[in-house]
Amino acid sequence: MTCERCSDPLFILSVLYPDQDYVHLQNWLKQRLADFSRPQPADAALDQRDAFLITYGDQFTHPEHAPLRALRVFAEKYLQGSFTGLHVLPFYPYSSDDGFAVIDPYQVDPRLGTWEDIEQLAERLKLACDLVLNHVSSRSPWFQRYLNGYPRYQEYFIAVAPETDLSEVVRPRTNPLLTPFESSSGTKWLWTTFSADQVDLNYGNPAVLQELIELMLRYVQRGARVLRLDAVAYLGKQLGTPCIHLPQAHLVVRLLRAILDRVAPDVRLLTETNVPHEENISYFGNGYNEAHMVYNFALPPLVLHAFAAGQVFRLKQWAAALQLPSTETLYFNFLASHDGIGLNPAGGILSTDEIDMLVSRTLQHGGRYSSKANPDGSSSPYELNISYFDALSDPQDGEPMWCKVARFLSAHAILLAMAGLPGVYVHSLLGTQNWIQGVYQTGQNRAINRQKLTLAAVEQALADSQSRTAQVYQGLTRLLRARAASAAFHPYGAQLVLESGDAVFGLMRIAPDGSQIALCLHNVSSDQQPVSLDLNRMGLPEGQWQDLITGQRFILGSQAHLALPGYAALWLVPFPNNA
């Protein structure tokens, strides 16, 4: 089996469906790829200027604009020069889960706007959108036709006898795996991994895969540059197995990658698999045949732990071991998102006591946590539900706001210094705190970090230089622009962890061509920390160095000694006259 054959979409189809008649799908795919066309974007490459904002399509409301138009207004006014990409979370009609129970994935929710609004956003920023491929809403036309007995849809979903032993199935939730629905032929117990309103699709049926491919190609034609494969780890269903990370799931990712390589090689696949690190990175495949990017899910809990503990041992140990299988793969680095802070990815890195400490801290800071079901019938913490600002700082402790902001910005300096492509959640950009009312209103823990805002209120807060929102926004914008100023922060550049003390997370970043370097130091404690750097051993020049963040200059000898204030971040580069 040659690599060329392995990258042939038609061959992958034959592996996915060895015992079925998939000729119709094969012929359809040949014709669909032959007919596919779209304008070729001019800026396909990524570099240190690239960063994505993660947001809902209805994040901002405005009395005169539809939400997607209000988002475009915000982007044009506040993202220029700092963000080049925009991940708009599911903007399709939905019934629950803030968009992830999709009713019709071919449409834009009319409450948000139109496809024209999406295309206009894609003209200005690199657009990332969600391919919600594991499930659909129980109100979707596909599922309603299934319940009503339409022959075409009878194999779109997975009916299981309620007495079936499903104890081996890995569960990301504590709700029942099977949900009963009344159909034209009686009660059906259907596979619902995430909720009773999110009914799993059956990828054992080639027609379901055809729908997925068609959706992907249409999103690309509408301007998508990154496709986020939501909950992709759960696609494979085989009784007697954990039903996570099965070969079928990886084959679907390979098929989508092979198709994109043929017709849209600039478009990148990003897999969303909130699982332990080694399982997560398995979706890189061999580095050339699956995802271009995976979420760096271990980063959020490890950065939080570093600041909570005031020491960086766990973070350093993990970061030093990070590897990529090829020069075509990247980590998508983030600290916060629309979901909680996943604890699964920290398994095997943080101890049980350390994870319990993060759970206790979250509760003390006004947050919540969610659990998952274990095979033995017990449950354990699955994710922390809290805004990242409040996760780092207790909202009730009376600590000065400048100190909380400094801590928050130092954490994000770590995010932006890491090799890979950074993503910043909109509520982090605005320094938003816990939305407890949302939890009470919806009954959902995740609502704590999903508050919708009026554009007028956001702009008013940004205009007040003393507000938390303005301080965080200005600080993050300054960090993003500092990152963009040096090729040392190129997403494909090298990364080395430095020996910089117990409370300082240090990285050396190196441009892909070796032309530029940066020494990045981040104090995770409130105390001043001494840092010693052996420039001679690292092969770096002594003399003048400059901090990219503040512009401050330093004279460093071959044995450099620095005093790093509490929660400070320094990104040092050789001053041009000294390089």
Side-chain angles (χ1 to χ4, degrees):
M1 185 185 299
T2 66
C3 287
E4 181 179 357
R5 192 180 183 199
C6 291
S7 63
D8 179 357
L10 302 181
F11 173 73
I12 298 172
L13 279 178
S14 71
V15 177
L16 268 167
Y17 304 111
D19 301 320
Q20 298 187 38
D21 179 9
Y22 62 91
V23 174
H24 171 74
L25 177 57
Q26 194 174 50
N27 291 336
W28 171 84
L29 183 57
K30 285 181 184 178
Q31 192 60 49
R32 187 67 177 89
L33 299 186
D35 294 341
F36 181 87
S37 66
R38 63 166 187 143
Q40 188 66 25
D43 57 343
L46 296 173
D47 64 24
Q48 65 275 8
R49 295 169 293 182
D50 284 296
F52 275 69
L53 183 74
I54 306 164
T55 183
Y56 282 100
D58 60 349
Q59 182 59 58
F60 303 112
T61 58
H62 189 282
E64 299 176 5
H65 301 308
L68 285 171
R69 187 68 57 86
L71 177 58
R72 195 180 85 194
V73 171
F74 177 83
E76 290 173 348
K77 191 169 183 179
Y78 296 105
L79 303 187
Q80 296 293 325
S82 50
F83 290 91
T84 60
L86 187 68
H87 175 197
V88 184
L89 291 158
F91 45 79
Y92 326 112
Y94 69 95
S95 56
S96 65
D97 198 18
D98 285 335
F100 285 92
V102 179
I103 295 174
D104 187 349
Y106 288 100
Q107 302 299 325
V108 173
D109 189 334
R111 296 172 296 182
L112 274 62
T114 66
W115 276 116
E116 182 181 2
D117 293 317
I118 292 294
E119 289 170 346
Q120 288 177 348
L121 285 168
E123 289 173 0
R124 292 163 172 78
L125 294 159
K126 295 173 181 175
L127 176 69
C129 66
D130 287 87
L131 199 54
V132 183
L133 66 173
N134 180 70
H135 49 261
V136 295
S137 165
S138 65
R139 288 172 47 194
S140 72
W142 298 352
F143 188 61
Q144 291 302 309
R145 290 166 189 160
Y146 168 83
L147 293 179
N148 289 322
Y150 284 60
R152 169 179 167 83
Y153 295 92
Q154 292 313 293
E155 299 299 324
Y156 266 50
F157 303 96
I158 305 164
V160 181
E163 65 274 13
T164 304
D165 180 7
L166 299 171
S167 59
E168 292 189 45
V169 177
V170 170
R171 300 304 325 287
R173 301 287 187 273
T174 55
N175 56 281
L177 178 62
L178 302 181
T179 300
F181 292 91
E182 294 304 318
S183 76
S184 60
S185 58
T187 302
K188 298 287 186 69
W189 290 81
L190 294 169
W191 202 294
T192 53
T193 296
F194 293 96
S195 80
D197 189 39
Q198 293 165 295
V199 190
D200 286 42
L201 290 162
N202 175 22
Y203 281 90
N205 177 7
V208 171
L209 186 60
Q210 181 176 345
E211 296 270 18
L212 171 66
I213 295 168
E214 180 60 35
L215 281 172
M216 180 182 76
L217 294 176
R218 290 198 191 188
Y219 295 167
V220 171
Q221 287 177 309
R222 294 289 190 176
R225 304 291 298 282
V226 175
L227 293 162
R228 177 184 180 272
L229 304 185
D230 179 64
V232 66
Y234 298 94
L235 289 192
K237 307 294 196 295
Q238 183 179 339
L239 296 180
T241 75
C243 296
I244 185 172
H245 312 311
L246 296 189
Q248 184 184 30
H250 285 279
L251 283 168
V252 169
V253 178
R254 290 180 192 180
L255 176 63
L256 300 183
R257 171 67 179 266
I259 291 170
L260 290 177
D261 284 348
R262 294 288 180 94
V263 299
D266 60 292
V267 176
R268 293 172 171 85
L269 293 177
L270 168 62
T271 49
E272 187 268 332
T273 53
N274 191 356
V275 294
H277 183 73
E278 291 304 318
E279 298 172 27
N280 182 34
I281 63 176
S282 71
Y283 288 86
F284 280 135
N286 65 15
Y288 302 95
N289 65 347
E290 291 193 40
H292 302 83
M293 297 187 289
V294 303
Y295 278 88
N296 208 348
F297 273 112
L299 185 62
L302 289 177
V303 168
L304 178 59
H305 173 266
F307 282 88
Q311 57 89 8
V312 297
F313 173 74
R314 298 295 192 198
L315 180 62
K316 283 172 57 176
Q317 187 179 42
W318 166 79
L322 284 179
Q323 293 183 332
L324 291 168
S326 78
T327 57
E328 295 185 13
T329 52
L330 284 176
Y331 287 107
F332 186 80
N333 297 318
F334 73 110
L335 293 183
S337 74
H338 60 291
D339 288 339
I341 301 168
L343 295 174
N344 259 6
I349 304 172
L350 298 179
S351 69
T352 301
D353 287 345
E354 288 168 328
I355 289 175
D356 288 345
M357 179 268 286
L358 293 183
V359 172
S360 296
R361 178 186 177 91
T362 295
L363 295 174
Q364 291 167 4
H365 289 199
R368 304 288 192 272
Y369 74 93
S370 302
S371 298
K372 66 181 179 69
N374 298 320
D376 62 3
S378 65
S379 63
S380 56
Y382 176 74
E383 70 176 19
L384 307 176
N385 302 113
I386 189 169
S387 81
Y388 212 83
F389 192 93
D390 283 349
L392 287 167
S393 300
D394 187 342
Q396 305 297 328
D397 66 1
E399 183 182 38
M401 184 55 64
W402 67 263
C403 188
K404 295 182 180 185
V405 170
R407 185 183 295 115
F408 190 71
L409 294 177
S410 184
H412 281 77
I414 292 175
L415 159 69
L416 297 175
M418 295 282 291
L421 182 65
V424 177
Y425 187 40
V426 65
H427 282 298
S428 292
L429 180 66
L430 301 176
T432 310
Q433 295 188 278
N434 293 334
W435 187 41
I436 298 296
Q437 298 92 326
V439 178
Y440 296 144
Q441 289 173 16
T442 66
Q444 301 296 320
N445 287 343
R446 284 178 168 178
I448 201 168
N449 200 28
R450 294 181 176 182
Q451 184 179 9
K452 303 304 191 292
L453 306 168
T454 67
L455 186 56
V458 170
E459 293 201 284
Q460 182 179 3
L462 289 172
D464 177 5
S465 62
Q466 300 304 307
S467 73
R468 180 187 67 256
T469 298
Q471 291 178 55
V472 170
Y473 169 80
Q474 293 294 343
L476 282 175
T477 299
R478 183 167 58 250
L479 287 171
L480 285 159
R481 291 177 176 170
R483 180 179 182 274
S486 174
F489 294 98
H490 195 288
Y492 290 101
Q495 169 179 292
L496 299 173
V497 175
L498 302 175
E499 289 299 325
S500 48
D502 294 338
V504 175
F505 182 64
L507 292 173
M508 180 191 294
R509 291 298 316 280
I510 307 169
D513 63 2
S515 62
Q516 298 185 46
I517 62 101
L519 300 178
C520 307
L521 306 172
H522 314 92
N523 187 352
V524 303
S525 77
S526 59
D527 298 326
Q528 178 174 287
Q529 297 292 330
V531 179
S532 297
L533 299 171
D534 189 338
L535 299 186
N536 185 54
R537 184 173 60 84
M538 290 189 282
L540 300 177
E542 55 184 292
Q544 281 200 69
W545 289 66
Q546 185 172 28
D547 176 24
L548 285 175
I549 301 171
T550 64
Q552 182 181 0
R553 296 181 191 175
F554 297 83
I555 302 295
L556 303 182
S558 61
Q559 301 293 318
H561 301 284
L562 297 164
L564 199 60
Y567 301 126
L570 284 179
W571 289 352
L572 297 172
V573 297
F575 192 65
N577 293 335
N578 185 49

